[in-house]
Amino acid sequence: MALLTWLKVFGAQTKRKLWNRRSLTFLFFLFLASVFWLITMLDEVMEQNFTMRLTLKNVPANVIITSELPPTIEVKLRDKGGTLLAYRYGEELPPVEVDFSKYVNMTGKAIVPTLDLLRPMVQKLKGNMTIVSVSRESVEFAYSYGENKRVPVRFNGRVGEENGYMISGFKSLPDSVTVYAMRETLDTITAAFVNGVYDRSNSDTVSWVAALQTVRGAKFVPANVQFSLYYDRQVEKTAIVPVRWINFPATKVLRTFPSRVLVRFRVGMNSYRNVTADNFVIVVNYEEVLARKDNRIRLYLRSLPAGVTHAQIEPSEVEFVVETLPESE
């Protein structure tokens, strides 16, 4: 019995030693194969994507860059695997430098072909690296020689008006900013705009740091402002407004039926008392009357007070008669 037990133990130990020896042999040859595979791979020609930084140099002190270069550009490079891996995990690719003096012109805008920038730089790298593709054919920047003007800040966005509230006003700090651009671009800019869609909070005022809407070839300083929107609760109001006529000959008179119509509208509570019928203008033009083939004409509001929304005319159409006055002796 003891002999049988000893044989079992001896057999298990022998089997374990053989298994360990086989495992070590397998791992050795696996490591050897991996080394050969790595050597082969490093010697093969491969392609990899790289992100390269862009920098602008030789910018004169009197020049304002109004539209910056993109910070990076994606490039696919081809070379031996060892060289590519060296730049991927070791050496950092040098930045691509754009020489301002080479691309300056009278338009205030420079368009630079990316291959013109990349080829000289890639040729300086070790190995036989070549460019396969780039993410964009060209990059551009804009500049001015200090031309600027001051423009007001305006709100050009949209705010979710809930629970019967409306925008009653806004405030910007600062209320105006300086814009730099070439003269032709400056002449087209009348204001700096805050836009976007914003949700109204539970308070009567919403404030946030707002980024000004960018304009191609222009730079706003500062680029962000402290912006506040003020809300007022909307209420409905009506006004009886007379129908007037314009551009009628001295001998012609317009009679409408009815001669006054009701205007139903919404207005903020703070402006409720200030908005009256005198703030609305409903007119009928003589040319519109001549174009009609019947005796009915549609009415339009030609003047709408600030802060008034959802204005409707009741009735929207009226009957009319054009009378000729007797000539005076």
Side-chain angles (χ1 to χ4, degrees), residues 78-134:
R78 179 188 291 126
D79 204 342
K80 289 185 177 181
T83 305
L84 294 176
L85 286 176
Y87 282 110
R88 171 69 69 187
Y89 301 107
E91 298 182 49
E92 184 180 2
L93 286 169
V96 180
E97 295 183 333
V98 181
D99 191 341
F100 178 87
S101 60
K102 290 183 178 180
Y103 300 98
V104 63
N105 54 62
M106 298 303 295
T107 66
K109 176 179 159 183
I111 300 176
V112 185
T114 50
L115 289 179
D116 290 354
L117 300 172
L118 293 172
R119 283 197 185 104
M121 188 276 295
V122 169
Q123 290 173 359
K124 296 178 182 178
L125 301 178
K126 58 185 179 183
N128 297 312
M129 200 169 293
T130 57
I131 301 171
V132 179
S133 63
V134 292

Side-chain angles (χ1 to χ4, degrees), residues 133-257:
S133 63
V134 292
S135 60
R136 52 202 307 170
E137 294 182 357
S138 63
V139 293
E140 59 183 67
F141 62 92
Y143 57 92
S144 77
Y145 288 96
E147 296 98 328
N148 67 86
K149 69 178 182 181
R150 200 79 178 167
V151 294
V153 178
R154 295 286 181 262
F155 182 65
N156 194 36
R158 183 170 61 85
V159 177
E161 299 178 1
E162 301 176 355
N163 302 323
Y165 279 82
M166 63 177 292
I167 300 172
S168 61
F170 66 86
K171 183 179 180 181
S172 172
L173 291 176
D175 59 0
S176 61
V177 295
T178 302
V179 55
Y180 293 88
M182 294 295 281
R183 180 53 54 188
E184 291 183 358
T185 303
L186 275 180
D187 292 341
T188 65
I189 300 174
T190 58
F193 292 102
V194 174
N195 59 9
V197 179
Y198 305 92
D199 292 328
R200 197 190 78 80
S201 65
N202 293 326
S203 65
D204 293 337
T205 303
V206 178
S207 299
W208 73 99
V209 176
L212 298 177
Q213 181 181 354
T214 58
V215 176
R216 191 173 184 179
K219 181 178 183 179
F220 293 100
V221 179
N224 301 293
V225 296
Q226 181 68 38
F227 204 78
S228 300
L229 285 174
Y230 302 100
Y231 288 87
D232 193 7
R233 183 177 292 277
Q234 279 189 323
V235 292
E236 188 173 280
K237 187 177 180 179
T238 59
I240 304 297
V241 181
V243 179
R244 304 174 185 177
W245 61 90
I246 58 174
N247 298 329
F248 273 65
T251 58
K252 302 291 185 179
V253 175
L254 178 72
R255 308 291 185 190
T256 62
F257 307 95

Side-chain angles (χ1 to χ4, degrees), residues 24-34:
L24 290 174
T25 303
F26 172 77
L27 291 176
F28 171 75
F29 282 106
L30 178 63
F31 172 76
L32 195 61
S34 300

